[in-house]
Amino acid sequence: MTVEIDPTGSATSPAGYRAGAAFAGIKTYGAGKLDIGILVSDEPAAAAAVFTRNRLRSACVDVNQERLVGGRGQAVVVNSGNANASTGERGLRDAYRMSELAAQKASLPPEAMFVCSTGVIGHHLPMDKIEAGVAAIDLAGNAGSDFARAIMTTDLVPKHCSVRFGPYTLGGCAKGSGMIHPNMATMLAYLTTDAPIDQGTLQAALSESTDRSFNLITVDGDTSPSDTVLLFANGAAGGEPIAAGGEHYDAFRKALDAVCIYLAKAIARDGEGATRLIEVTVSGAASDVDARSLVREIGTSPLVKTAVHGADPNWGRIVGVIGRSQAEILEEAVTVTVCGHRLFERTVPIPYDEATVSRAMSGEEVTIEVDLGAGEARSTGWTCDLTADYIRINADYTT
C-alpha cells in the first residue's frame, strides 16, 4: 500500500469532526493570531494518548491522564501562549475550569473534554481571556487549519495533513519549534480517524508510531512539561471494528506512521531559527537502543548542527560523536556519508571535492548516514541546523 499524504488535510478531514479557533489575547506576541481552539468529534470516540516524560508535568497532563483511564473521549481544547505549568493547585483548578468551559461550548460532559496548554512556563492562565476566547469559537467541519494555527507558539507555519486508507481517513496537526527532544518535547499533536478501532488497539498503535516519529526528533535537546499526542477514533465511516491482524489493520498502521512522521519532520524543519532539515540515519548497529541513541546524539550535537548550517562538510564532527557515544562499533567498518557523498570509511577519510559536498549541503534538506558495522539494527530521526536566530529567539523569549 502506498500512502499519499495530503498536506492540505487536517484533523477535521475524517468524517464526524469539527473545530474552531479564536484570538483571546493569551499570546502577547503575534497580536491578532489565533491562540485558543477546540477540536470535537460529533460522536463519542475511542481515545489514546502519550504524554511527556518530564517529571514536572503541567496541570493539563494530570487532567488528561485522569480522563484517559476510561479509554473514551470526544474533544480537546487547547490554548497557546501560556503553558499552565509549575502553577500549583490554582493551575490544576484552571485546567479543569478551561475544560468545563469548552465542554459547555460543545454541549459535552466535562469528562469528555481533554485540555492542553502550551507557551511560557510559570504563569497562571488568564481565565477571563480563556472564557471569552472559548465563547468566541464557532465550530465547523472545515476549520481544521484554524485549529492548527491556534496551537502555534514560536512556530512559523501550521503543521497539518491527512491520508486515506481503504474507506477511511486519518488526519492530524501538530505544533512545535523549540524545546524539542526525543521522549516527547514542547510539542502537541492531535490525530483523528473515522475508522472504528477499539481503545486497546488504538493505544498500542499510537505508542509504537510515536516511537518511530515524535520520539526521534530533536531541535535543541530540551523537553517540556506539557507534551501530548492525542488520537481519536470515532468510527463515523462505519464498518467492522479494526483489530490487530484484521482487515484494514496494516493500512491503518501505515497511515498512522505516515501522518506521525510527516508531522514530526514538519516540527524539526520548523525548528526555531532553522534553515535546514537534517535527516540522520544510523545503520549497522548492534541493537535498536544503539541505533536510536546515536541518532539522538548526532541530532543534538551543536558542532554537527552548526557545521550543517555553514554547509561545512566537516565529517570529523560526526566521527567525534560516534566515538564518544556508548554505541557498539566495529571501528574498521564505520562509514560516514553526507548528502550521498561518502566522506569516511575504514578508519580513514575518502578523497572528495569539498565545494561539491558543500553545495549539496546548502539545500533545504541534509542527510547524514552512519554505518557502525556492528549489527543489523537501523534507525532514522530528524533535527535541524543551529543558527544565530535560535539564540536570538530564546534569549528574548520572555523579555
Side-chain angles (χ1 to χ4, degrees), residues 148-200:
R149 287 167 51 215
I151 67 178
M152 294 164 55
T153 49
T154 57
D155 307 58
L156 295 180
V157 295
K159 305 160 181 68
H160 53 81
C161 69
S162 67
V163 299
R164 291 280 299 172
F165 65 102
Y168 307 112
T169 301
L170 192 151
C173 64
K175 65 82 50 176
S177 185
M179 218 179 186
I180 301 292
H181 192 56
N183 294 333
M184 304 295 292
T186 306
M187 55 151 286
L188 301 174
Y190 305 102
L191 310 170
T192 57
T193 184
D194 49 22
I197 309 173
D198 70 87
Q199 199 277 335

Side-chain angles (χ1 to χ4, degrees), residues 315 336 341-345 348-357:
W315 55 266
V336 174
H341 298 269
R342 180 68 56 83
L343 306 183
F344 175 86
E345 70 178 4
V348 295
I350 302 299
Y352 64 93
D353 181 72
E354 187 174 273
T356 298
V357 181

